[in-house]
Amino acid sequence: MARRITPTTPTKSTIAISTMLPADLIDRTALHVKTVLSGDNTGHDWWHVYRVWKIAHRIGHDEKADLLIVELAALLHDIADWKFHDGNLSVGPKMAKDWLDSVGLNPSTTEHVCQIIAGISFKGAGVEQPVLSLEGKVVQDADRLDAMGAIGIARAFAYGGAKGRDIYDPGVQPTEHRTAEAYLKSGGHTINHFYEKLLLLKDRMNTATGRAVAEERHQFMEDYLRRFYEEWDGDS
Ligand code: ADP
Ligand code: NI
């Protein structure tokens, strides 16, 4: 990804942390997140964050969003996922705030980044979503896109495998989860997850750029499912 700001002032070691250049701040944040997330095998690994970061930058650029906020929020959005802290939604924003305070980012930018992190996670098809800023919309689109297409399929089966779920059971139908608790508890096979989340994402995109990418990824998943059922019944 092209950097927007080329360092022209002294190197990292000689500048005060509170005046850190945006590019340095982003690099340090990336390293921090990579360290914290190392070892995750549930689909929230560093490489998920990396992909969200990259596509968030692309969408943010096209949508003329504040890219510093977009990149920081994308990097920190899964620092402590709510599903792995007994549904405690405040852990992620708190960890993000601690980090951004420690590197001396100004309070209003920190506040904006933390609000995005608190607001973007998917909590079930029937659960109401908070209003997001443009930057929040961009990061949410980027996060949702990583649950779609070829990568999204890989992540779904990786997640299902980590939870010991079947890949498919024709007798178990998908359900629309009206609460975050119901979504968390659902124990169905992984193909159901396509109907409970992945195929719904296309119509929930916030930005025109995100929608265009989502259309393609959605089509890929539809093609994949068609083929999956054919193979299941020995038809291909
Ligand atoms: P995000 O990182 O977008 O917040 P989630 O935390 O909802 O995504 O889920 C992480 C990944 O695991 C996503 O790719 C998602 O589709 C997948 N996943 C979540 N729940 C399930 C499930 N019940 N079955 C299969 N995959 C799932
Ligand atoms: Ni994510």
Side-chain angles (χ1 to χ4, degrees):
M1 170 179 49
R3 284 264 170 251
R4 304 165 317 290
I5 294 165
T6 311
T8 51
T9 46
T11 55
K12 224 181 268 182
S13 58
T14 59
I15 52 171
I17 267 181
S18 58
T19 60
M20 202 185 297
L21 293 163
D24 283 335
L25 178 58
I26 288 164
D27 286 348
R28 282 194 49 175
T29 301
L31 192 60
H32 171 67
V33 172
K34 193 172 179 180
T35 308
V36 171
L37 294 183
S38 65
D40 183 289
N41 63 352
T42 61
H44 284 97
D45 57 330
W46 159 249
W47 292 116
H48 162 64
V49 172
Y50 171 86
R51 293 185 302 265
V52 171
W53 175 29
K54 294 298 159 177
I55 201 153
H57 184 273
R58 176 177 148 200
I59 298 171
H61 178 266
D62 287 1
E63 299 288 330
K64 301 184 174 41
D66 180 326
L67 290 178
L68 176 65
I69 290 177
V70 164
E71 290 192 66
L72 289 175
L75 281 167
L76 291 162
H77 84 278
D78 271 339
I79 189 94
D81 191 85
W82 63 288
K83 284 188 283 333
F84 305 112
H85 287 92
D86 299 324
N88 184 348
L89 300 175
S90 63
V91 176
K94 169 79 171 64
M95 282 179 74
K97 183 173 176 351
D98 287 349
W99 166 252
L100 295 173
D101 284 348
S102 80
V103 292
L105 187 65
N106 71 71
S108 69
T109 307
T110 298
E111 169 72 13
H112 189 170
V113 170
C114 293
Q115 267 176 10
I116 292 173
I117 295 165
I120 63 170
S121 188
F122 181 95
K123 306 190 183 64
V127 180
E128 211 178 306
Q129 298 289 309
V131 177
L132 295 168
S133 64
L134 171 62
E135 288 72 23
K137 289 176 179 172
V138 167
V139 178
Q140 187 174 57
D141 278 4
D143 194 29
R144 287 175 168 171
L145 283 170
D146 202 53
M148 301 180 71
I151 298 271
I153 294 169
R155 291 180 74 210
F157 287 111
Y159 184 103
K163 297 270 178 188
R165 295 182 182 172
D166 287 344
I167 57 171
Y168 180 48
D169 181 342
V172 180
Q173 299 301 310
T175 48
E176 184 192 352
H177 302 119
R178 297 228 157 260
T179 65
E181 291 73 35
Y183 177 65
L184 263 179
K185 279 204 206 103
S186 71
H189 57 81
T190 299
I191 287 292
N192 267 354
H193 187 63
F194 284 76
Y195 301 95
E196 290 166 357
K197 174 178 174 182
L198 309 188
L199 294 170
L200 309 177
L201 295 174
K202 167 177 78 73
D203 294 329
R204 291 170 175 242
M205 302 305 286
N206 304 301
T207 68
T209 313
R211 221 165 358 258
V213 183
E215 288 288 345
E216 286 179 29
R217 296 191 185 193
H218 183 89
Q219 189 55 51
F220 185 89
M221 293 191 295
E222 293 274 22
D223 294 346
Y224 173 81
L225 285 171
R226 193 171 313 112
R227 176 77 191 197
F228 184 97
Y229 296 128
E230 282 173 14
E231 292 186 13
W232 191 268
D233 289 323
D235 290 340
S236 78

